[in-house]
Amino acid sequence: MALNVGCAARPGKARKNKTGSWRVFRPVFESEQCTKCGMCALVCPEGCVIETEEGEFVPDYEYCKGCGICAEVCPKKGIRMEQEEK
Amino acid sequence: MLQITEGSHAVAEIAKFCRPQVVAAYPITPQTHIVEALADMVANCELDAEYITVESEFSALSACLGASAAGSRVYSATTSQGLALMFEVCFNVAGMRQPIVMSIVNRSLGAPLSIWNDQQDSISLRDSGWLQFYAEDNQEATDLHMIAYKVAEDHDVLLPAFVCFDGFILSHTYEPVDMPSQEEVDAYLPAFTPYHRLDAKDPISMGMYATPDYYMEFRYELERAMQRSIDVIKRAGAEFAEQFGRDYSALVESYRLDDAEIAFIAMGSICGTVKDAIDEMRDAGKKVGLAKIRTYRPFPTEELTRALAGVSTVAVLDKNISLGSGGAVGTEVKAMLAGSGITVLDYIIALGGRDVRKRDIAAIVDLADKGVGDMFYGLRTEVL
Amino acid sequence: MAEHVAGCELFESGHRACGGCGPALAARLLLNATGENAIVVASTGCMEVFSTPYPETAWKVPWIHSLFENAAAVASGIEASLKRQGRSEKVLCVCGDGATFDIGVLCISGAFERGHDITYICYDNEAYMNTGIQRSGATPYDASTTTSPAGACSTGNQRPKKDMPAILAAHGAPYVATASISYPQDFMKKVEKALNTPGPCYIQVHAPCCTGWGFEAGETLNIGKLAIETGMWVNFEMENGEVTKVKKVKRKPVEEYLSRQKRFRHLFKPQRRDAEIAKIQAIADRNAEKYGIDIKKKE
Ligand SMILES: Cc1ncc(C[n+]2csc(CCOP(=O)(O)OP(=O)(O)O)c2C)c(N)n1
Ligand code: SF4
Ligand code: SF4
Ligand SMILES: [Mg+2]
C-alpha cells in the first residue's frame, strides 16, 4: 500500500483499533433505573455510549475501556461495574 | 525589463510576482531589505497578500507551514541565526511535504557574532529535506525563485526550497537585472495547486506520528522525491530558457572545463571571481575550469561526475566547515570521486565575509598543482 | 448537543488514551461545540499521540500537528490563509499545558498580540504527561512529578501554578475563560462563545489525568469537581480583561481534593505535613477571595 504524502490521513481508521480489549471491568447498564438523562453518553471519553432508537443508552463494548466514569456520573446509580471474565 | 537594482529588491520584486498569498518573515541583517520591501508593497497595494509580522523566525516558518497546509502559496526569507532558529520547523516542513519557498541571504553563524557572508547557515540544513539552489549573481537569484516555486510545487516533488544568495556581496549590490513582468511570471508559474489541504469539506489529518512500522518509509519517500526533483529541475530550467532565454536546465554549470586539468567546484557569488580568474589563467596557458553547483540539494552527482571527467585535480572551495571533518561540499565530492583517480583538494575559504580576489584563486591553483589542500585558505599569519 | 449516534462523533472511538482520560473527554466535548466547520491545530503531547498514530486519526475535522511549541504560529498562518481564500472555518489550537504555559509562550504571545481570529484551548492536566509526568508551569504547588519528586528534602513542586489566563488577558484578548471537563455543558458553551468572539480567545480547561495524578479512572470527573469545590480551580469568564462570570461554590477544605491523589500522597504519608497543607489551603483561599467564589451563608 502506498503511503499518504507527508504522513497525512483521512478519517475513518481510528475505529480499527478495538479498545474494548483493554477492559478489566465492564459497565452493566440497568435500563430499569435509567431516566434517559444522557450523562453517561456525554462524559464517556471514548464516545462509545450509544443512544438506541428506543432511546436507551448502551455501551459499545468494542471500544469501552471500562474506565467507570459513566457509572460514577449516573445519578440513579444505574450502571454497575463488573469484573471481566477473560 | 532591464533595471539596475539592489539584490534584495530584485528578490523582493520577484517574490511579489510569484503571487504568494501569505508572507511571514522576521528582519535580520542582511535579509532586512527584503522584508521591508515586501511590507512596502503590501502597504501600497502592490502585493495582495497577508503579511504576518511574526515575533520570531521560528514563528515565521511555522506560520508559513500553517498557511501552506491551508492551501496558500507562501513566502519567507531569512539568514544565519534566523535560519538556525527555524531548524526544527525546517525538518517539519519538509517531512510534511509543504512546498514553501524561502530566500536565504547567506551569512555566517555565531559565535563569534558575524553579520558577514559565508554559506554555513544553509549548508548546515543540508539534511533537512529542502531543495537548495545557489545563485551566482542577482539575475540568477531572481530567476531561481520562479524555478524554485515551480519545482517545489510539482506534485512529483512536493518539497520546500531554499534560494540561496550571498549576503551583502549580492543582497546589497546594485546590478543590472532583467526583471520579468507580472504577465511573464504568470505565464511561467501556474497558480498553486495544493496536493491536499486543511478543508472542512474534506477533512484530513496532517503531521501524524509514525511508529517504527512506518517512519522509515516516509523518509524513503522524501529521498525519492529528492531524486525525482532532478528531472523536474531540468525541465523547469529548460522551460525557463525557452521563455526567458536564460538557461538553467543543468544542475551544474560547466565553465571552460573541456580540456581542463584543474577544475574548481564552487557555489554562489564566488563563481564570478573564479570565472574571471580562470579567464586570466587561461590567457597565461593554464588549463583550469569551473564546475559551478547550482543545486546543492539534490546533490548533482551524475552531472558533476560527467563534468569532471578528464580533469586530474579538483579544487573545492567551501564557504563552510563541518567542524571535525572538513568542508561539506569537499567531503561529498571526495566520496563521489573515490576510486576515479582524480585528486580532490578542499579549501575552506571566505568564512565570515573574508574577501576573495582573483589572485587568491590563482594562488589556490598553485597550491593544487603542488597537491597542497584540505586546509583553511587565507588565514592571518599569527594563528599559523 | 446530546446526540450520540455511533460513528457520528467528530472525535472517534478507537483512540489510545488511557481509560478515564480527562483530555480525551475534553477533545470530544470541544468538537461537540465546534461542529464540522473547524480546523484544529495540535501540539505534541498526550492528546496528539493517543489520537493520531498514522494512519488511524480519531479526528473527523481537519487537524494538523507540527511541533510541541508552535501551534499558535501555525494557527496564525492558517487563519491568514483562510482570510485570503475567503473561507469560513474556525481555527482552534488544542494544546497541553506544557505546550501552552512553557515552551509555546513565544508563539502564543505573538499570535495574541497580532490579534489573529483564533481560539486557543489549553487542556490542562497539570504536567508533561506524554513524556512521563514531568512538572510544567501549570503544575500546582507541592504536586510530586518525576522532575519535582517529593523526597526527604522536598515536598514536591515548589512553585505555584502560573496565571496564564491573566497573561493572555493582558494581551488584550477579548475573551478568556477557564472551564472544567467536570462541567461539560459549561465548557461547551464557553467554546462556542470563544468561537463566536472575533479575535484571539483563550480557554483553559481543567482535564484531570488519572495516570499522572494517581487516582482511579472512574474518578476523573469527581476529581475535577473537587478541584472546583475546594477552590483549587476556579471557573470564570473574562471579557475584555474584566471578570464577568464566576462559578460559586460552598467551599470544602483542600484536603478533600489532595488526599484522593497520589501526587499529593506525601502530604499525608508517612506523616501528615500540616504546614504544607495549610499553604495549599492558603492558595485556595486567595483564589476564593480574588474571584469571589464563596457562597456566603445567610446571616
Ligand atoms: C522541542 C521539544 N522539546 C521536548 C519535547 C518532548 N515532549 C513531547 S510532549 C512533551 C510534554 C507535553 O506536555 P503537555 O503539553 O502538558 O501535554 P500532555 O502530554 O500533558 O497532554 C514533551 C516534553 C518535544 N516534543 N519537543
Ligand atoms: S466504562 Fe468508560 S469507556 Fe466504558 S462506557 Fe463507561 S465511560 Fe465509556
Ligand atoms: S497519561 Fe493522562 S492525559 Fe495522557 S492519555 Fe493517560 S490519562 Fe490521558
Ligand atoms: Mg500536560
Side-chain angles (χ1 to χ4, degrees), chain B residues 88, chain C residues 44-46 68-69 96-99 103 123 125 127-131:
Chain B
E88 196 188 8
Chain C
T44 313
C46 264
F68 185 18
E69 66 278 30
D97 52 288
I103 201 165
Y123 68 94
N125 55 13
Y128 304 159
M129 295 311 175
N130 183 48
T131 38

